Every structure is written in C-alpha cells, then in structure tokens.
Amino acid sequence: MNWLLDLTPDEWNAVRLSIKVATVAMIASLPPGILLALLLARGRFWGKTLLNGLVHLPLILPPVVTGYLLLLTFGRRGPAGAFLAEHFGIIFSFRWTGAALACGVMGFPLMVRAIRLSIEAVDRRIEAAAGTLGANPFWVFVTITLPLILPGLIAGAILSFAKAMGEFGATITFVSNIPNETQTLPSAIYTFTQVPGGDAGALRLTLISIVISMVALVASEVLARRVGHRMDIE
C-alpha cells in the first residue's frame, strides 16, 4: 500500500496545481455568480430566459467546445485575449490562469443555480420590513439576504470547486497539457494512461481526486447545515 502514497514530484505538482486552479476559479466566480443569481431570481426583463440559457450552456455543451470557444475568445489572437495581453499583461492561453478560467466557466452554472434557488427561497417580507426601517436595497441585501442565502452560497461554491477539480475537456483544449503549468489531476491521469507502466500513477491520482472531491462535498454539506442550524437558533 505504500506505493499509493509514494507520489513523484510531478504528481505532487499536479495535485497542488489542481487545488490552486480550483480555488482561484471558485473565488473568482463568486462575485459574478452572486450578481447573476440575484438578477435571474429577482429580475424582470426581456431576454431573461436567453440569459439563463447562456449561463447554463457549459453544462450542455461538450467541454471541448467550451474550451475551443475560450481559445477563440481569450487566446493570444482572440479579441479579449489580445486586449488583456496588450493593455494589462494578462495571458490566459497555455497558462495556469487559463486553466482557472476554463474551470471557472465550467463550474459557474452549478454555483449560479445553487445561489439562485437560495435567493428564491428567501421570504421577501423580511427584506421589505428592513426597507421600511430606512435601509437601502444594498444594505438590505448585505445584512438580510446574504446571511439567509449563505447555505446555498456555500453549497454552490463547493460544487464549483469540485467541478473544477474534475474538469478536463475544456482545460486541455484551451491551455493544453503542460507539466508544472497547466497539467491538473485529470490531465495527469490521462497522460499516465497513455504511457506504458503508467497505471500505478494513474491509480494514485484517481484515488486522490476521489478523496479531495468527497471531502469538498462533505464539507459543503456540513457547513451548510451548521450555518442553517445557527440561523434557525437566532
């Protein structure tokens, strides 16, 4: 059993990079995720159905298609990629930041949906009562709505993180499979399956992926229950 824990430096790098990429993707997705979830839950405007479809499109499209679209848009010759590289020095293609972008896009629908459902479950009368006391809409959201949707926000964030940990198709299409730069756990597992004698490494990384994902999901459930229980007491 010792061979299961005897990871090579490249395998450790893949584990660390995956956690780094998934964490950055999750954190970067939170602000737009909350705003879009609020817009879809409370907004009344033309094109809402279309916007909802666009948000959830990565769940339906083949991941390779999503990765290719990211490459066309954020690649060095893409409109957004060329602009960001020229004016801000930000480069996504074939960089770990691009892997974070791809993972964030793929996990975004799960985050938005979880937060949206939480917002829709909030009793609007509580918010209205705060408004009658003179609180502006932003302060009502921060002090009333946000704490009430915290369980859903946590669940959405962790689901996004878990999705990012397992993302492969969009990532490898957008940023390739470069060791120590864009080679995340799924990419490293794929590489091991393509070389003779790579079964042991593939199995080690597979087990690590399962453990990390299960820990994330269990942590999400525990945190959401604790927050919900504390709010019920208060």
Side-chain angles (χ1 to χ4, degrees):
M1 293 295 292
N2 290 335
W3 64 273
L4 287 174
L5 302 176
D6 189 20
L7 271 66
T8 66
D10 286 341
E11 292 170 4
W12 277 117
N13 286 335
V15 173
R16 285 192 291 264
L17 181 62
S18 291
I19 295 174
K20 176 183 177 180
V21 165
T23 302
V24 170
M26 177 188 69
I27 294 174
S29 298
L30 272 174
I34 294 173
L35 291 175
L36 262 177
L38 183 62
L39 184 63
L40 291 173
R42 301 283 177 82
R44 297 291 183 270
F45 56 91
W46 183 88
K48 179 179 177 180
T49 301
L50 178 61
L51 177 61
N52 184 61
L54 289 174
V55 169
H56 291 85
L57 198 59
L59 289 179
I60 302 171
L61 285 176
V64 173
V65 174
T66 302
Y68 182 63
L69 292 175
L70 288 173
L71 184 61
L72 292 177
T73 305
F74 292 96
R76 288 178 180 261
R77 296 183 180 180
F83 176 81
L84 291 172
E86 180 179 351
H87 293 86
F88 301 100
I90 300 175
I91 300 175
F92 287 109
S93 57
F94 307 109
R95 301 285 180 87
W96 75 267
T97 50
L101 175 61
C103 290
V105 169
M106 294 301 295
F108 194 67
L110 298 175
M111 175 183 289
V112 171
R113 182 166 181 80
I115 299 175
R116 177 186 178 179
L117 292 175
S118 294
I119 293 175
E120 291 176 343
V122 172
D123 189 344
R124 299 294 297 273
R125 292 174 296 181
I126 301 176
E127 298 172 320
T132 60
L133 297 176
N136 60 57
F138 175 77
W139 190 246
V140 170
F141 178 78
V142 172
T143 60
I144 303 297
T145 310
L146 195 57
L148 290 175
I149 67 171
L150 197 55
L153 195 152
I154 293 173
I158 299 299
L159 283 174
S160 174
F161 176 87
K163 175 65 175 176
M165 286 294 300
E167 173 49 38
F168 174 69
T171 303
I172 200 170
T173 304
F174 182 34
V175 296
S176 189
N177 182 13
I178 306 172
N180 302 325
E181 181 64 39
T182 65
Q183 190 178 74
T184 55
L185 277 171
S187 300
I189 293 171
Y190 172 78
T191 300
F192 275 122
T193 63
Q194 302 303 304
V195 298
D199 293 345
L203 181 57
R204 283 195 295 266
L205 294 184
T206 297
L207 293 176
I208 290 174
S209 298
I210 293 173
V211 169
I212 293 176
S213 297
M214 283 301 301
V215 168
L217 292 174
V218 171
S220 169
E221 185 70 18
V222 171
L223 286 173
R225 286 186 178 182
R226 286 187 177 180
V227 171
H229 179 67
R230 185 177 301 175
M231 291 170 56
D232 291 339
I233 294 177
E234 294 176 353

